[in-house]
Amino acid sequence: MNKDIEDKLKKLPDKPGVYIMRDLNDTMIYVGKAKSLTKRVHQYFQPSHDEGIKKRHMVDKIDHFEFIVCDSELEALILENNLIKENHPKYNTMLRDDKTYPYIKVTVGEAYPRVLLSRRTDKDGSKYFGPFPSGGAVHETIDLVNRLFCLRTCNRKFPRDIGRERPCLNYHMKQCRGICMGELSSEEYGRQIEKVLDFLNGNDTKVLSELEEKMEKAAAAMEFEKAAGYRDLINAVHICTSRQKVTRLDNGNRDIVALAHIEGDALIQIFFIRGGKLIGREHFFMNVKMDDEESEILTAFIEQYYAGSPLIPPEIFTSLQLKEEETICQWLSGRRGGRVTLHTPKRGDGNKLMQMAQKNAYMTLSQDKERIKREEGRTIGAMKEIASLLGLPNVMRMEAFDISNTNGFESVGSMVVFDKGKPLRNAYRKFRIKSVVGPDDYASMKEVLTRRFTHGMQENERDSAFSTFPDIIMMDGGRGQVNIALEVLKELKLDIPVAGMVKDDHHRTRGLYYNNIELPIDKHSEGFKLITRLQDEAHRFAITYHKALRGKAQVHSFLDDIPGIGPTRRKSLMRTFGSADKLKEATVEEIAAADSMNKKAAEELYSFLHKNRSDEG
């Protein structure tokens, strides 16, 4: 058990809630609920406690855990279910039928729009309403809308198909206005769709008023059957709009943003409500001054967080009223492309959620300060150590490069990126060496660096991993590798510091080569540990790519270059023998017995394989 887990176990509250187990990569591997968090979570780490093989395997993988305190066991049960369905943790038992919630889709991009059920929202220009709690509710609503507004339900392409085919049964039943017959213009149909959108947004007054007027007229004319039909429609509208109001209230998308502020330390907790369900949370530590007001802290967070967030919900609940709230609402609405409102709930469900978020924010702030400081020491603190050792003002982004080959065969290069002390894996890049023949690591490294920075200079105005240059380049080696990098940078007229990660005779990092001097590093420091992680990652990434290429090349060398063996025979041989090694061990008769082979081709293949084996010997 690591120190972080030991410390956190001591701080677990005797309250109901949900606990989340995570592995070394911060991946959520298990979610559970508890009547008492302290009693339940402690059980996982007691040697005498046994919950089966699966749980034992899971416990071995736990690197750290977090928890969310709830007000009741029922609340914890619901939150556990939401988190499991959203994140699919490896060790949770999952339902096979993991359906998404349905939406009502209005295809406003078509000349004659339709109202459909959809299980996802696409950026296709359509209008979406929901999500709804069940497909049945959506089907009922769509059926009602089609009856109220006489919309088309066919899949024909209009206006292309107008007049091509006979009208369907809906036309004869007066449930469609006859678009296929050319009896309704797209403008008039569009006005109906505007009413549909208004209705689906909850504005049912006009619809009910029109239906009641028609019902009274039919009754006055003694058309009682027709009046009863209007009565049924009115009842259906009441049921539908009632459900929609509940849907909008309970199934909305919003963020709950709560601030905890204790003695100069501040933490923001965000609860993400999607489809009316709490599906996750994030917390952020804020750098604040002693005299900062809480409303200023919360305002600064909202501005910074949503400036970079790709998803802005229509509602944001905050624990305090923001400064310049109206201006921030306008800015958020512009970024979202739709109205965004800010609320500070004082009562009701919104206030209960806010209290829950704030309670967890204060608990996280008080309990995680030590762990966060240790993590910052491993990452940002380690970067500061390296910057101080090299005499650089600021180092946040490091890039490391490595070459991998087998006697010059399939030489490859790797580029790994660490940002603020953490791997930035989406910025990693791999290079297949093109201009170098044979095992020349210096020439290969020169090609890799030239391609990396030339590409970056060409794309410096585009969003690319190459367009951001590092604060320092870390070469896997000493003077020679550093000089190669400096030579490339000089040719490209770039000014980027370069350091070499020097290894000892046991292939372990011993120091940094910088400005023609080898600088020793305290092997127990966080800076040294970070350099080792960076060096190991560059090596791992290069070897992984090289192995992949080498495996492909081996298959190619044994099959593709054999005289008389085309694609059909190649597939047959691989099906029969499974690998190149087993093919080498086969006799002529065994080879000839494979599909599509004959005695002559088998003899030529046998001769080719064993000639190569004798040459290798």
Side-chain angles (χ1 to χ4, degrees):
M1 194 191 308
N2 64 44
K3 190 71 168 61
D4 283 346
I5 291 178
E6 284 184 12
D7 291 344
K8 203 151 191 176
L9 285 173
K10 296 173 185 174
K11 299 170 184 175
L12 281 165
D14 187 17
K15 294 181 178 180
V18 169
Y19 53 93
I20 301 164
M21 304 299 192
R22 295 184 180 271
D23 64 13
L24 271 168
N25 299 317
D26 202 38
T27 301
M28 190 182 294
I29 60 174
Y30 186 75
V31 176
K33 64 183 179 301
K35 182 178 179 180
S36 167
L37 284 166
T38 183
K39 292 175 183 175
R40 183 70 185 99
V41 179
H42 269 89
Q43 289 178 345
Y44 286 96
F45 303 99
Q46 292 173 356
S48 59
H49 188 71
D50 188 7
E51 293 196 56
I53 294 173
K54 187 173 83 167
K55 287 288 176 68
R56 283 202 300 273
H57 286 172
M58 183 267 288
V59 171
D60 290 340
K61 298 249 185 330
I62 297 172
D63 178 71
H64 57 285
F65 69 87
E66 58 187 88
F67 58 90
I68 301 174
V69 175
C70 300
D71 291 329
S72 66
E73 288 181 77
L74 179 59
E75 201 173 68
L77 171 67
I78 295 168
L79 177 54
E80 177 198 37
N81 182 52
N82 293 345
L83 291 172
I84 290 171
K85 292 196 77 171
E86 183 69 20
N87 297 281
H88 305 277
K90 179 179 179 180
Y91 291 98
N92 281 98
T93 302
M94 297 290 297
L95 284 171
R96 295 181 67 86
D97 181 21
D98 188 18
K99 294 187 290 189
T100 55
Y101 287 101
Y103 292 80
I104 293 176
K105 173 181 179 179
V106 184
T107 61
V108 294
E110 296 179 328
Y112 293 87
R114 295 166 294 162
V115 180
L116 309 169
L117 180 147
S118 176
R119 290 277 176 187
R120 63 183 188 183
T121 56
D122 297 315
K123 292 184 178 179
D124 56 1
S126 298
K127 295 281 187 183
Y128 291 89
F129 298 86
F132 284 78
S134 71
V138 173
H139 284 299
E140 288 174 23
T141 304
I142 290 173
D143 182 59
L144 174 62
V145 167
N146 285 331
R147 283 190 289 149
L148 282 173
F149 301 100
C150 294
L151 302 181
R152 76 179 182 101
T153 58
C154 61
N155 293 323
R156 298 178 189 178
K157 300 287 184 184
F158 296 123
R160 184 195 70 187
D161 293 341
I162 291 177
R164 286 193 177 185
E165 299 178 36
R166 291 182 300 175
C168 65
L169 185 61
N170 280 353
Y171 173 75
H172 296 293
M173 295 172 63
K174 297 185 179 180
Q175 291 182 6
C176 176
R177 300 278 297 277
I179 299 166
C180 58
M181 302 295 289
E183 296 179 6
L184 191 68
S185 68
S186 61
E187 290 78 12
E188 191 176 350
Y189 190 86
R191 286 192 285 273
Q192 288 291 93
I193 291 297
E194 287 176 9
K195 292 180 181 179
V196 170
L197 296 175
D198 202 36
F199 174 73
L200 290 174
N201 276 313
N203 302 320
D204 59 342
T205 308
K206 288 182 182 178
V207 172
L208 287 170
S209 176
E210 288 178 8
L211 288 173
E212 285 169 1
E213 185 180 340
K214 289 178 180 179
M215 182 181 69
E216 289 171 3
K217 282 184 179 179
M222 295 189 179
E223 295 176 335
F224 299 117
E225 190 174 338
K226 187 182 286 187
Y230 288 128
R231 179 202 61 202
D232 293 342
L233 279 176
I234 289 170
N235 291 334
V237 169
H238 281 303
I239 294 169
C240 176
T241 53
S242 173
R243 183 190 291 127
Q244 285 182 33
K245 285 170 185 169
V246 173
T247 298
R248 285 201 303 278
L249 177 66
D250 296 336
N251 290 352
N253 295 337
R254 60 181 65 91
D255 288 351
I256 311 294
V257 185
L259 166 70
H261 188 205
I262 306 173
E263 299 176 355
D265 289 310
L267 178 138
I268 304 290
Q269 182 95 249
I270 304 185
F271 280 1
F272 302 107
I273 311 296
R274 298 295 179 264
K277 296 182 175 183
L278 175 57
I279 64 165
R281 69 162 183 179
E282 288 255 18
H283 61 259
F284 302 86
F285 282 84
M286 300 286 288
N287 292 322
V288 298
K289 300 180 180 64
M290 289 298 295
D291 57 348
D292 282 347
E293 293 182 13
E294 291 190 343
S295 60
E296 290 177 343
I297 298 169
L298 195 55
T299 300
F301 172 79
I302 293 287
E303 292 172 349
Q304 293 172 44
Y305 177 77
Y306 289 106
S309 175
L311 178 62
I312 300 175
E315 286 185 306
I316 300 173
F317 288 0
T318 58
S319 56
L320 296 166
Q321 191 162 356
L322 303 185
K323 294 203 166 187
E324 302 178 352
E325 189 171 285
E326 187 176 340
T327 304
I328 292 174
C329 276
Q330 291 175 355
W331 170 69
L332 288 169
S333 298
R335 279 192 48 77
R336 179 175 178 265
R339 188 164 180 254
V340 176
T341 57
L342 292 166
H343 302 286
T344 305
K346 302 297 183 186
R347 60 181 66 86
D349 292 338
N351 181 252
K352 290 177 183 176
L353 273 171
M354 183 59 67
Q355 288 179 4
M356 180 177 167
Q358 205 152 22
K359 184 194 299 183
N360 280 275
Y362 274 105
M363 200 168 292
T364 303
L365 178 60
S366 60
Q367 294 184 358
D368 280 10
K369 280 168 68 175
E370 294 177 9
R371 183 184 65 81
I372 294 298
K373 286 178 181 176
R374 283 200 299 272
E375 178 63 20
E376 286 183 349
R378 291 181 67 250
T379 55
I380 294 174
M383 300 291 278
K384 288 179 179 177
E385 280 184 29
I386 294 168
S388 176
L389 178 69
L390 301 177
L392 297 172
N394 185 47
V395 173
M396 283 293 128
R397 181 184 174 104
M398 300 191 298
E399 288 182 7
F401 298 84
D402 195 14
I403 301 295
S404 180
N405 63 68
T406 303
N407 296 324
F409 174 74
E410 289 289 6
S411 291
V412 300
S414 70
M415 163 186 148
V416 300
V417 181
F418 274 35
D419 185 63
K420 296 176 184 174
K422 295 182 180 180
L424 191 64
R425 290 187 172 86
N426 62 353
Y428 286 14
R429 291 296 181 268
K430 48 197 177 188
F431 303 83
R432 195 168 185 171
I433 305 303
K434 300 176 180 178
S435 63
V436 181
V437 178
D440 190 337
D441 283 359
Y442 285 170
S444 297
M445 184 60 75
K446 184 174 183 179
E447 179 189 323
V448 167
L449 292 169
T450 302
R451 285 166 59 188
R452 182 265 178 268
F453 288 105
T454 301
H455 194 31
M457 292 167 69
Q458 292 169 347
E459 298 195 352
N460 57 8
E461 293 182 358
R462 289 166 50 190
D463 184 18
S464 165
F466 285 137
S467 64
T468 304
F469 285 176
D471 298 314
I472 188 166
I473 299 169
M474 305 291 280
M475 303 301 297
D476 185 33
R479 183 194 300 267
Q481 293 283 16
V482 170
N483 287 340
I484 288 293
L486 292 172
E487 181 184 332
V488 170
L489 295 173
K490 184 177 179 181
E491 289 174 2
L492 298 176
K493 297 180 181 178
L494 293 174
D495 184 16
I496 301 172
V498 182
M501 298 178 286
V502 186
K503 295 181 179 179
D504 59 21
D505 295 337
H506 301 286
H507 210 66
R508 290 192 294 260
T509 307
R510 73 175 187 223
L512 289 179
Y513 181 81
Y514 184 66
N515 285 344
N516 296 316
I517 301 172
E518 185 177 321
L519 303 170
I521 309 177
D522 177 5
K523 293 188 177 181
H524 301 289
S525 69
E526 294 296 345
F528 176 83
K529 293 173 185 175
L530 178 59
I531 290 168
T532 302
R533 291 198 297 275
L534 178 70
Q535 195 170 30
D536 291 345
E537 184 70 349
H539 189 57
R540 179 201 65 79
F541 193 54
I543 283 184
T544 301
Y545 181 42
H546 179 247
K547 282 181 177 178
L549 291 182
R550 192 173 62 204
K552 291 178 182 178
Q554 284 174 341
V555 172
H556 173 87
S557 65
F558 282 112
L559 299 176
D560 293 10
D561 297 334
I562 298 172
I565 303 298
T568 302
R569 284 177 170 169
R570 185 164 61 244
K571 289 178 183 176
S572 173
L573 289 168
M574 287 307 295
R575 277 197 305 268
T576 303
F577 297 101
S579 70
D581 288 338
K582 288 185 177 178
L583 181 58
K584 282 183 177 181
E585 295 170 0
T587 64
V588 173
E589 289 73 19
E590 289 171 336
I591 295 172
D595 290 342
S596 304
M597 292 296 293
N598 55 44
K599 188 68 178 292
K600 183 181 178 182
E603 288 173 350
E604 289 179 356
L605 172 56
Y606 185 86
S607 175
F608 178 87
L609 293 173
H610 288 270
K611 177 179 180 299
N612 282 358
R613 184 179 290 182
S614 63
D615 289 345
E616 290 168 6

